[in-house]
Amino acid sequence: MISVEEAQEKILSYIKILEQEEKPILECLGQVLAEDIYSTIDIPPLDNSAMDGYAVRSEDTRVASSSSPVILSVIGEIAAGSMPEPEKRVNPGTAIRIMTGAPLPGGANAIVPFEDTDETSRRASQDGLSQIAILCEAKKDSNVRHRGEDIVKEALILEKGEVLSPPEIGVLASLGHSTVQVIRRPIVSVLATGDELIDIDQPLPPGKIYNSNAYAIAAHILYYGGIPRIPGIGRDSVDALNSKIDEGLDSADLLITSGGVSLGDYDIVKEVLAKRGEVVFWTVRMKPGKPLTFGIIDRIEDGRVRGVPHLGLPGNPVSSMVTFEQFARPAILKMLGRKDLTKPSIQAVIQDDITNTDGRRIFTRVAVTKHGSQYYANLTGSQGSGILTSMVKANGLAIIPENVEGVKRGDIVQVQVLDWM
Ligand code: AMP
Ligand code: MG
C-alpha cells in the first residue's frame, strides 16, 4: 500500500498540461492564460471627471467659501460618452457642468462636485443654471481622473500562466478583448459501475439504488473547471464494462470510474484495466478510499495508441468524494495548467476523540466553525462511507495522520477546507 503523497505523485507524473485554445472571455473563468496581454489603449482614454459637478479652473476657486462663494458663469454641459465642443474652453470666470466619466474640457483642471455648489437651491428657486456659486476651494486635479492612470498603452497587463478570475475577465473586457488564449478544459468521463445502479430518471425497483456517484463526481469536475461526460452505467460484467469504457474514453482526457475496485466477486474494474493497459497502483494507505486504483488505458485512435489516464474510485459515495478531492482534483488542475495543486487547509481544534487503529491516514468529515481567531472542527455524525448526508453537513475533512493512534478532543488537527477551491 502506498501513501497518499506517493499516489498523488504517481498520478501527476502521468498527467500532462493540455493544449491552448482561443475562447470567448466569459467561458474562461478559472482557466489559465496562455498568452501575455499587452494593452493597445490608455485607460481611461482621456482625462475625465470622477464626480458629477462643475469643471473649473482651480485658480478661480482659491478664495471660495460657503460664507463668501465664488460665482462662475456656466457656459455648457458635458455628459459621459460625449466629447466637449473644442471651442468651449473653461476660461477665467467660467465653468462647464459635467457628469461622472465625461471628458475634461479644455482650460479646466479641477471638478467641483454638486455638493460644493449651490446647484440644489438654485434649481429649487428656478434661478436657472446660467451661473453657479462655488462654496469651497477645488485644488488642482481634484476629482480629475487622468488619461492612462489605470492602464498605459503598450504595458504588459496580464501574464501567461495567470488564472482568470472575475477581475481578470473585467480587465480583458476593458481592453476590448472578446476572446483570449487559454489552456483548454479537460474532458473527464465519469463511469459509475455496479449492477445495483439505476439512472436517476427511472422508477426505483427493489434491490436497486440511484446512481448518485456519477452526478456527485461530475459536479466536482465542473467545480474544478473540467467538462464532465456521463456515458451511462457500467455493468459488472467484463463485456458490458468494456463497451462502456470504450464510450467513456471517446475524446476523454481522463476516465474516472466509481466502484468495482474492492475484493468482492463482481469487482472487475481492476481486472479490465489490467487487460487494457497498465495498473500503476492499487490501494492507498487512507480511510476511506483504500481500494483506489490508477492506471493507463491504451486506446487505438487513427491507428495510433493513446494512453488515457484512468482513476478508479471506490464505490461508496463518501469514499468516492474524498478520493476525488485527493487525486482527481490535482489531476484536473494540472491539466488546466494550474500551478498550486494543494488543497487549502487550516489548523482547527478537534471537538471529538478519533482513534486510528490500522495505520492509515483518516479523512473525517467535519463542520468547521470559527470563534474569535480559532477554528473548531466537529464530526458530522456517523462516519460510515455510505453516509452521503454526512458530506453535505461537512465543510472540511480533518486529517488524522497514519503514524498516530488517534487524536483527543482539544488536539489541533489539519483540516482541508472543502469550500475553498
Ligand atoms: P463497490 O465499490 O462497487 O463495491 O461499491 C460499494 C458500495 O457503494 C455499493 O454497495 C453501493 O452501495 C455504493 N455505490 C457504488 N456505486 C454507487 C453509485 N454510483 N452511486 C451510489 N452508490 C454507489
Ligand atoms: Mg460495485
Side-chain angles (χ1 to χ4, degrees), residues 193-197 236 258-261 266-267 315:
T193 72
D195 283 345
E196 74 277 35
L197 303 179
D236 293 331
S258 93
V261 286
Y266 300 96
D267 290 332

Side-chain angles (χ1 to χ4, degrees), residues 222-243:
L222 277 174
Y223 185 65
Y224 289 118
I227 302 170
R229 297 260 168 85
I230 301 179
I233 293 169
R235 296 302 172 196
D236 293 331
S237 82
V238 172
D239 287 348
L241 188 57
N242 266 319
S243 81

Side-chain angles (χ1 to χ4, degrees), residues 192-193 196-197 209-214 258-260 262 267 314-317:
T193 72
E196 74 277 35
L197 303 179
I209 58 171
Y210 282 123
N211 172 17
S212 66
N213 284 357
S258 93
S262 303
D267 290 332
N316 276 308

